[in-house]
Amino acid sequence: MDYLLATSQGLARQLDGCMAHDAEYNHGLSDHLPMLLHSMHALGATESRLQEYASSYVTRLEPRRVIPVDTDDWLALRGQLDAYHALSAMFAQRIAVAERDCVLRDALPHLMPGVGAGAFHGLIRCGHALAARHDGELANGLAYWAAAWLPLMPSADADEVRRPLPSPSLDLASWARCAHDLRTALDTGQPRITLRMKAWSAAPQFPVLAFALCANDDTLRDIARFAATVYAQTGNFTVMHMVTSAHALLTLGPWFDDLKLATRWFGVALLAALRAARLTRQQIDTSLVTMNEADAISALPVLPWNELAAAAIASDDDHAAKIVYSSRALFEMYGDAAFHAAATQGMLTQTRPD
């Protein structure tokens, strides 16, 4: 099974049906259906199971709002959820004319400064759409990323992609350990991930520390390993999104002219998410030690991959198939047992909608 490029006509039909829904429902929850359908399909679900799951899930969704919006300057529409339909139509038209590769290379650098959009679900949705090779869903993913755009730096405006970033100074371990140095007077106990991320980004130390992460060819892989190890050891709901978003960014990697720069912008959102996860210093330290000790990684509990896939397909949980799919894909890419442990944790920990 090719876990990175799994698609079929049956999956395409199901994703076609997702075009009728708005990107969010119930005052800010992300529509997970297209991501779940692709994940379940990649793990081996039958078309009848996809149909069964979709029929149940759509009852919570809201119809797409068709609001006329001028998209000539689409960058000015970033962060405006009312522009979702118009942005989706614009991206679909651009993909049809200029093709997928050109549209991705043009749009992605402008989206990365707000990569935390929808608790990373704009990015994650694009990763699934690209793997499914479904241009309509890719247009939806790009549109949601733009409409829910979450800039966490004061200068993350339309010209930011052309400005040099401050010089980095910290490796991943040092950077992650510094997360607890952040202090803010804002409410960091809010229920939604994005609200907590925004609160932590207001910390006076945030702009300096967020850009302090050094990025090289291996940093994105190491971020994925770190997040997977933390998730395997804690089952933390926010950290699960760090795993799946790291996988999504790796999937989109070939379409970035400067993946190191994209990784640095990803780090900005990850720092906010790391604090939003409410992890203790000890949990971060323990995971940083564990990820570099083969025996410690091997000691983490794992279930057979076929059992994990079957359980994820049968589950009605909003995240089970996604974390198992991404963890399996990352395991196929790197062969690291931390990803197997993360997939197992994903089935042991029943999550909630976000």
Side-chain angles (χ1 to χ4, degrees):
M1 172 77 65
D2 186 339
Y3 287 90
L4 295 181
L5 291 172
T7 190
S8 71
Q9 291 184 348
L11 174 63
R13 285 192 290 270
Q14 294 298 326
L15 293 177
D16 287 344
C18 295
M19 305 298 287
H21 310 127
D22 225 343
E24 294 184 347
Y25 66 97
N26 193 21
H27 307 291
L29 296 179
S30 298
D31 174 10
H32 286 54
L33 182 57
M35 298 175 279
L36 285 163
L37 289 172
H38 171 250
S39 296
M40 294 170 69
H41 172 80
L43 293 171
T46 63
E47 188 171 355
S48 62
R49 172 55 181 151
L50 298 183
Q51 179 60 57
E52 175 190 39
Y53 188 88
S55 297
S56 173
Y57 192 99
V58 295
T59 59
R60 74 181 74 172
L61 299 180
E62 298 173 6
R64 181 176 294 208
R65 295 171 300 145
V66 180
I67 301 173
V69 176
D70 185 350
T71 58
D72 285 346
D73 182 10
W74 73 269
L75 294 179
L77 299 175
R78 291 177 302 176
Q80 298 184 32
L81 278 171
D82 285 347
Y84 170 67
H85 170 74
L87 286 166
S88 177
M90 179 207 73
F91 280 120
Q93 194 272 338
R94 290 190 177 190
I95 291 171
V97 172
E99 298 188 348
R100 180 189 309 155
D101 290 359
C102 182
V103 173
L104 284 171
R105 290 188 184 280
D106 175 69
L108 290 176
H110 296 287
L111 294 173
M112 283 307 301
V115 68
F120 297 102
H121 283 107
L123 165 64
I124 297 169
R125 192 165 175 174
C126 286
H128 282 280
L130 189 61
R133 287 172 280 179
H134 192 283
D135 286 343
E137 177 53 26
L138 181 59
N140 285 342
L142 291 169
Y144 183 41
W145 190 344
W149 198 62
L150 186 70
L152 298 174
M153 303 295 283
S155 58
D157 56 25
D159 295 324
E160 185 63 36
V161 294
R162 291 189 289 272
R163 297 176 184 159
L165 299 185
S167 298
S169 58
L170 298 175
D171 61 23
L172 177 61
S174 300
W175 178 81
R177 288 189 172 102
C178 286
H180 275 274
D181 293 341
L182 298 179
R183 298 287 186 273
T184 179
L186 299 187
D187 180 9
T188 60
Q190 300 178 78
R192 297 283 169 82
I193 294 173
T194 52
L195 296 178
R196 298 199 303 274
M197 289 172 65
K198 288 175 69 175
W200 281 111
S201 73
Q205 312 93 327
F206 186 85
V208 173
L209 182 56
F211 281 140
L213 176 63
C214 293
N216 57 39
D217 292 340
D218 297 326
T219 302
L220 193 50
R221 177 205 64 189
D222 292 342
I223 286 173
R225 290 183 62 244
F226 169 60
T229 304
V230 176
Y231 182 66
Q233 293 185 310
T234 67
N236 185 281
F237 183 67
T238 301
V239 175
M240 179 184 61
H241 292 81
M242 294 167 61
V243 178
T244 53
S245 60
H247 170 227
L249 188 54
L250 283 161
T251 301
L252 291 169
W255 285 269
F256 283 96
D257 292 330
D258 190 342
L259 186 56
K260 294 177 186 176
L261 178 61
T263 300
R264 294 192 66 195
W265 277 114
F266 188 50
V268 171
L270 282 179
L271 179 63
L274 197 57
R275 290 302 279 125
R278 306 180 179 123
L279 297 167
T280 66
R281 287 183 185 271
Q282 183 177 358
Q283 286 174 320
I284 292 174
D285 285 341
T286 299
S287 295
L288 288 168
V289 171
T290 300
M291 68 181 283
N292 291 311
E293 294 184 358
D295 289 344
I297 289 290
S298 298
L300 295 172
V302 295
L303 295 171
W305 281 114
N306 62 334
E307 291 184 19
L308 291 170
I313 291 168
S315 176
D316 290 328
D317 182 80
D318 281 13
H319 299 85
K322 288 171 56 189
I323 185 61
V324 173
Y325 161 74
S326 286
S327 297
R328 180 59 193 260
L330 289 164
F331 181 81
E332 293 289 313
M333 293 169 70
Y334 300 118
D336 195 305
F339 300 120
H340 196 171
T344 301
Q345 181 65 265
M347 292 314 306
L348 297 176
T349 305
Q350 292 299 301
T351 57
R352 62 186 187 279
D354 59 321

